[in-house]
Every structure is written in C-alpha cells, then in structure tokens.
Amino acid sequence: MRFTSERRLDDGVLEREFTLGEIPGLLWTPGSASAPAPLVLLGHPGGLRKMYPRLVARARNSAAEGFAAATIELPGSGDRPRSAAAEQARADLHRALKAGEPVNDEIVDRLVLPLVEKAVPEWRGTLDALMSLPEIGGPVGYAGGVIAIGLRLAVVEPRISAALLFAGSFVPRALFEEARQVTIPLQVLLQWDDEGNDRQAALDLFDAFGSKEKTLHANMGGHTGVPRFEEDDGNRFFARHLK
C-alpha cells in the first residue's frame, strides 16, 4: 500500500488516497483517535470520483463514532481497465430494463459473478494492508455497495464481524446458497419502490441469510431515496458490534 496524498478535513478527519498495486482507494481516520480504531469498509457501485461526495459523507459519519473507513475502486470502474464481457452484460441489462422486460439469470450471472470473483480478493488484500497500519485495530464491518460482493465477503472473510447490506442490486441465484452460510449480524436496507431492483428476490435473499441476528429496514421510495435516519441507525448497528 502506497499513500499518494493526504489532507485534513474541516472536522479533523484525516483523508488519505492510496494505491494497492493498480487499485486506487481512500482511507479516512478520526482526527482525535487515541487508540487503534475499528474499521468500516465502504462498498459502492463503482466510480470513486462520481461516488466521492456520498463516500466522504459516510466516512465522516463513521469517524464521528470513532471508526476508520476505507474504500477501493471496483474492477472495471473509474480509471481501471474495462472488461468487454462486463460491458456487454451491462448493455444487455440496460436494454432489458428500458424495454420493461424481466432481467434473466444469464445476464445477471455474466455481469455480477465475474465482478464478485475479482472484487472480493481485492477487498481482502486491501484489508490485509489496512490492518497492518498502527492506527487501524478492528473489529471490521462492511457497509453498502454491491450486495453480492458484501455477501461473499461475509462468507469468506473471518475478520468482518458485521455487515450493513443494501438490497439494491442483482444477485445471481448461485449466491443464494452462499447466503445460508452467512452467520455474522446483518442489517439490510431495502428501498420498496426501487425501479431497478427485484423486490421479491431481495426478500428471498434476506430470508436465505443464515444469521441469527438479521434486521430488514424497508423504506418507501426509489433507489436513491434512502432516508437520512438510516445513517444514524447504521452507526448504532456498528457501535453495537464493532466496539
């Protein structure tokens, strides 16, 4: 991990850009931390520059609770090399949605499964590097982003103690069986009127999660209409499980 820039935000949070090989990322740490901080990994749908305003707001909320926060660019997003197969799958997805047609499992598999297979090892490698820093202690939480990535991480990464997942993206059917292996505490957000999300599939996925402690927060509104109070609820969720 190589830090390429740093700046102090107006609330004292230290923001640092880094690269890990070809992967760009951001790390935020509380300004007044006197001990190694628990860490929240911030998922997102891709495009660090585009997502920065939301990501920094989430990071500052986390820092206010004493958590460090970090994120990385997804494979095939931002300035990272594109995959022709993924671009074709994305085009097929948008074509189906625009035509009002069902999005079949074959399109979802072509788009999401390769992303999960690439992104999850990158997240785990990033976590290795972050946990070697003296200012980061753990435990670790995962929040938001592509739910299939969060699901896989919850299964394979033992350092993640709790996850806040956003049921706003397509999940391959093969991952529903993996969901039964998830045992960490979960809080799942679902926007009831999300135009691009299969509500019943999201409910079925929530039912499939094997966690004994799992909570579903369903709110009226579209994909980007998550109520502000969910940020506070998310912080309380992580405070219970990461402190």
Side-chain angles (χ1 to χ4, degrees):
M1 174 177 281
R2 182 171 67 90
F3 288 105
T4 56
S5 72
E6 70 173 61
R7 65 173 181 143
R8 187 75 65 173
L9 305 183
D10 56 16
D11 53 2
V13 173
L14 180 62
E15 177 185 275
R16 286 175 283 179
E17 296 186 21
F18 65 83
T19 57
L20 190 66
E22 65 171 15
I23 308 166
L26 287 159
L27 171 64
W28 296 270
T29 47
S32 58
S34 58
L39 174 66
V40 178
L41 304 176
L42 301 180
H44 61 90
L48 278 182
R49 290 197 183 109
K50 179 179 69 174
M51 295 301 301
Y52 176 80
R54 292 189 201 175
L55 288 166
V56 72
R58 291 164 61 193
R60 293 172 87 154
N61 285 334
S62 295
E65 298 297 324
F67 304 131
T71 192
I72 56 174
E73 184 61 277
L74 287 180
S77 294
D79 295 328
R80 299 190 64 186
R82 296 294 191 266
S83 158
E87 293 297 304
Q88 183 60 58
R90 189 173 291 110
D92 293 342
L93 171 68
H94 290 159
R95 191 178 304 113
L97 291 173
K98 187 175 181 179
E101 300 170 353
V103 177
N104 63 47
D105 290 346
E106 187 265 343
I107 294 176
V108 174
D109 287 353
R110 284 193 288 120
L111 179 62
V112 180
L113 287 176
L115 177 63
V116 171
E117 295 297 332
K118 292 179 181 177
V120 168
E122 292 183 353
W123 267 117
R124 299 188 75 186
T126 302
L127 185 54
D128 289 341
L130 291 168
M131 295 301 289
S132 72
L133 300 175
E135 61 269 39
I136 306 296
V140 180
Y142 177 88
V146 178
I147 192 171
I149 293 174
L151 188 166
R152 174 67 64 79
L153 278 169
V155 172
V156 303
E157 180 46 72
R159 291 171 291 187
I160 294 179
S161 301
L164 197 164
L165 303 178
F166 181 40
S169 53
F170 293 96
V171 179
R173 289 290 166 184
L175 293 185
F176 277 66
E177 282 304 311
E178 286 191 31
R180 304 185 194 285
Q181 303 173 44
V182 176
T183 58
I184 61 173
L186 296 179
Q187 186 165 299
V188 180
L189 300 181
L190 171 63
Q191 287 301 104
W192 203 251
D193 306 303
D194 191 339
E195 317 80 20
N197 190 34
D198 185 330
R199 183 197 303 160
Q200 188 57 54
L203 294 172
D204 291 344
L205 180 63
F206 179 79
D207 187 55
F209 283 125
S211 304
K212 291 183 178 179
E213 181 186 334
K214 57 180 180 179
T215 304
L216 177 68
H217 287 206
N219 297 289
M220 304 303 292
H223 187 82
T224 60
V226 178
R228 283 184 173 268
F229 63 74
E230 288 292 359
E231 294 180 7
D232 294 332
D233 283 346
N235 283 334
R236 285 192 288 268
F237 170 76
F238 283 129
R240 290 197 302 274
H241 297 292
L242 303 185
K243 287 187 174 180

